[in-house]
Amino acid sequence: MVSRSRTAKRFSFARLKKNKGVRIISKIAIYFVLICIGYVYLSPILEMISKAIMTPADLIDPSITWIAKHVTGKNFTDAMKTLDIPKSMINSIWFSALLALGQTFVSATTGFALSRYTFKGRNIWFVMIILAFILPVPLLTVPRIMTFSTIENAIGIKLINSIWPQFLMALFGQGAYSTMLILIFKNFFDMIPKSLDEAAMIDGAGSLKVFYHVAIRLSIATILVVFLFSFVFNWNETYTTNTMLGDALELIPVKLSTFDNDAVAGGADSINEAKRMAATLLSIAPLLLLYAAVQKQFIQGIENTGITGE
């Protein structure tokens, strides 16, 4: 009996030791994969920061890869002058925020309608929303210009080369990646039990009250996620902005696309990779700061899309 007990203890100890070793190896493998993935995402940003503070001599020095020998901030001052910061920064923030607010509101109402109501032509409208996402933007640009030109002639108010085309497109579900934002809301509203709507209606709530007190109150984190997505999409959108807005408003992403020409026109002595990296960092800095400020709520909103209802 004693020998059997000792054998059982030795076997359980060996199995425990083996399991512990397996757990350690699995953790090492997981951390290795996460570090590799993190490096893929962080490497471009780290390289931009490294080159943005280099002098022209450091750029052509073959012995320098990441760490600059002579750190300088002149690249940022030159980039700020060429990008016309803070004017273009302020314009980009309020313009992207305005479009994001319109897109978020329309996406929420559209997603709620598709999730909660059955009406004639519902499937057709859903297919049209998907097509608006599948069709390439250049294919839709000419019809949109023709539409706004017709409206201009009818009402006598200038629309092209103003903020109105993109704002109206956002309000009518034709903004940047509006289909994806609508589907995010629809998916989330599908997860909310319909019994909550029925309970609110029994208490005398109408459709608008159900939408506000049930759907909106439960989707604050999702609203934040959609707003951030819309803000980033509209911030980085340059094709439609160049076509519809033109030169009516100075925006950082648009000026970044013409950085070399603007720098030469502004009297810059030379254009190198360090100045381009500095300008790129300045253009994405508001997005990084915005994400850092609402990181916790953003992650919570992403996780909420996995909540299951009844």
Side-chain angles (χ1 to χ4, degrees):
M1 295 293 294
V2 175
S3 61
R4 289 183 178 180
S5 176
R6 289 178 178 176
T7 302
K9 288 182 178 179
R10 290 176 182 175
F11 178 75
S12 61
F13 178 75
R15 185 172 59 180
L16 179 63
K17 188 176 181 181
K18 181 180 179 181
N19 292 337
K20 185 177 180 181
V22 171
R23 287 197 298 269
I24 293 175
I25 294 174
S26 63
K27 284 186 178 180
I28 293 175
I30 291 173
Y31 279 111
F32 176 76
V33 173
L34 292 176
I35 291 173
C36 291
I37 295 174
Y39 176 78
V40 170
Y41 283 97
L42 292 177
S43 176
I45 297 178
L46 295 177
E47 186 176 359
M48 279 193 294
I49 296 174
S50 174
K51 288 188 176 181
I53 59 176
M54 289 185 180
T55 62
D58 290 339
L59 288 174
I60 61 176
D61 189 342
S63 64
I64 297 177
T65 304
W66 287 94
I67 302 176
K69 291 182 179 179
H70 310 92
V71 178
T72 179
K74 186 175 184 299
N75 298 322
F76 287 97
T77 57
D78 292 345
M80 290 177 65
K81 181 180 178 181
T82 303
L83 295 177
D84 196 13
I85 292 176
K87 180 181 178 181
S88 61
M89 180 78 73
I90 295 174
N91 289 340
S92 297
I93 291 174
W94 74 257
F95 183 68
S96 299
L98 178 66
L99 298 182
L101 286 173
Q103 272 191 290
T104 303
F105 174 76
V106 172
S107 299
T109 53
T110 307
F112 183 78
L114 293 174
S115 173
R116 285 298 193 262
Y117 299 111
T118 301
F119 49 89
K120 188 176 181 180
R122 176 180 178 275
N123 293 332
I124 296 176
W125 283 110
F126 190 77
V127 171
M128 295 295 291
I129 291 174
I130 300 297
L131 283 177
F133 179 75
I134 295 176
L135 294 176
V137 175
L139 186 64
L140 301 174
T141 300
V142 174
R144 287 171 176 172
I145 293 176
M146 294 175 63
T147 300
F148 286 115
S149 298
T150 302
I151 297 174
E152 280 185 355
N153 296 331
I155 64 177
I157 299 177
K158 182 181 179 181
L159 296 179
I160 305 295
N161 291 331
S162 70
I163 67 172
W164 287 108
Q166 285 177 272
F167 182 67
L168 293 175
M169 287 164 57
L171 290 182
F172 284 95
Q174 294 295 310
Y177 299 99
S178 286
T179 298
M180 189 178 74
L181 305 181
I182 291 172
L183 293 179
I184 290 176
F185 271 116
K186 181 184 181 301
N187 181 61
F188 180 79
F189 292 147
D190 285 340
M191 298 174 184
I192 298 177
K194 292 186 179 180
S195 58
L196 297 179
D197 299 9
E198 296 169 356
M201 291 179 180
I202 291 174
D203 292 338
S207 298
L208 291 178
K209 288 187 177 181
V210 170
F211 173 68
Y212 175 73
H213 290 286
V214 177
I216 296 299
R217 292 286 184 90
L218 293 175
S219 60
I220 299 299
T222 304
I223 291 173
L224 177 62
V225 170
V226 171
F227 177 82
L228 290 178
F229 277 145
S230 179
F231 186 90
V232 173
F233 293 155
N234 286 289
W235 181 281
N236 293 324
E237 175 59 60
T238 56
Y239 182 85
T240 303
T241 301
N242 285 329
T243 305
M244 298 296 181
L245 184 65
D247 57 355
L249 202 63
E250 288 187 355
L251 303 177
I252 286 185
V254 177
K255 292 186 70 66
L256 184 64
S257 62
T258 60
F259 178 79
D260 289 1
N261 295 333
D262 292 344
V264 173
D269 51 354
S270 63
I271 305 298
N272 53 43
E273 195 68 19
K275 292 183 179 180
R276 296 190 186 98
M277 293 297 102
T280 304
L281 275 175
L282 290 173
S283 68
I284 66 175
L287 303 181
L288 296 176
L289 293 175
L290 179 62
Y291 175 75
V294 296
Q295 179 183 7
K296 182 178 179 180
Q297 294 82 355
F298 180 79
I299 295 175
Q300 179 184 356
I302 294 294
E303 291 176 347
N304 282 348
T305 58
I307 296 176
T308 56
E310 290 184 348

